[in-house]
Amino acid sequence: MNLKIPIETSARHIHLSQQDFEILFGPGSRPTFFRELSQPGQYACKERLTVVGPKGRFEKVIVLGPCRSHTQVEISVTDARRLGIPSVIRQSGDLDDTPGCLLIGPSGKVQLEKGVIVAKRHIHMTPVDAIRAHVKDNDIVFVITTSYERSLIFSDVVVRVDPSFSLAMHVDTDEANAFANEDHPTGVILKLFNGHTYSLQTWADELQAGIDR
């Protein structure tokens, strides 16, 4: 039986370090809980920020809690173009050689030298889920969506396994707009070429050349 994976849309958002949070919202301030997110211990905050790039800005971007060791801004490729910064696709926390931006809060500003990423599409799952799906942490897989009439296959999906996780695949707004036309889309892992796009492209090239494996 294939593991049915809920697919959630992750809109642009910000994770702040405690130091940056206090610069932006005032000394001694702490994140204000607004609502729970699907991943245990993660929550949306009441606080909002302005994100500024060379060509544009976004107002009232949501902050997620709790605070992290490093500030990270997660956007889509379309968002990156509007801001005028490179779209660098990374896993969360992998911030070396990523672009920065200006964050503006009610009490101050923070100029980030790095930390703006387009999050690599990924699946959160528990060790039990991983056993059921026959995968392990950091595996790369394909996921085929079950959205009515707009199904597609996502490649290069990273599997992230931890006992604290709740089963869900996260995609950004660009990716969700390509397929999601219902309230609760799901997907299943497809065993194909170890998940890698370049293998799929090689297969396509072979088919066009008349090679049928």
Side-chain angles (χ1 to χ4, degrees), residues 98-112:
T98 57
C101 68
L102 176 65
L103 300 179
I104 302 175
S107 297
K109 301 179 181 179
V110 171
Q111 179 65 58
L112 296 179

Side-chain angles (χ1 to χ4, degrees), residues 7 25 33 44 57 71 76 90 102 108 112 174 177 180 189-190 195:
I7 303 178
F25 294 103
F33 178 89
R57 65 170 57 201
T71 294
S76 69
R90 291 289 181 83
L102 176 65
L112 296 179
D174 287 350
N177 287 338
I189 290 175
L190 182 65

Side-chain angles (χ1 to χ4, degrees), residues 22-34:
E22 293 192 38
I23 293 172
L24 293 161
F25 294 103
S29 58
R30 295 290 186 273
T32 307
F33 178 89
F34 177 62

Side-chain angles (χ1 to χ4, degrees), residues 31-84:
T32 307
F33 178 89
F34 177 62
R35 62 177 173 83
E36 291 183 348
L37 301 177
S38 64
Q39 295 306 307
Q42 305 295 304
Y43 57 90
C45 303
K46 291 183 178 180
E47 286 79 15
R48 301 291 189 273
L49 291 170
T50 298
V51 178
V52 182
K55 293 184 178 180
R57 65 170 57 201
F58 293 111
E59 308 281 349
K60 298 180 180 180
V61 180
I62 194 167
V63 175
L64 302 187
C67 287
R68 295 190 176 186
S69 56
H70 295 90
T71 294
Q72 175 176 297
V73 180
E74 297 186 34
I75 59 176
S76 69
V77 172
T78 299
D79 290 344
R81 289 172 180 162
R82 287 181 59 185
L83 290 173

Side-chain angles (χ1 to χ4, degrees), residues 70-72 90-98 114-117:
H70 295 90
T71 294
Q72 175 176 297
R90 291 289 181 83
Q91 288 198 58
S92 180
D94 182 7
L95 305 181
D96 288 342
D97 300 318
T98 57
K114 63 180 181 179
V116 183
I117 66 169

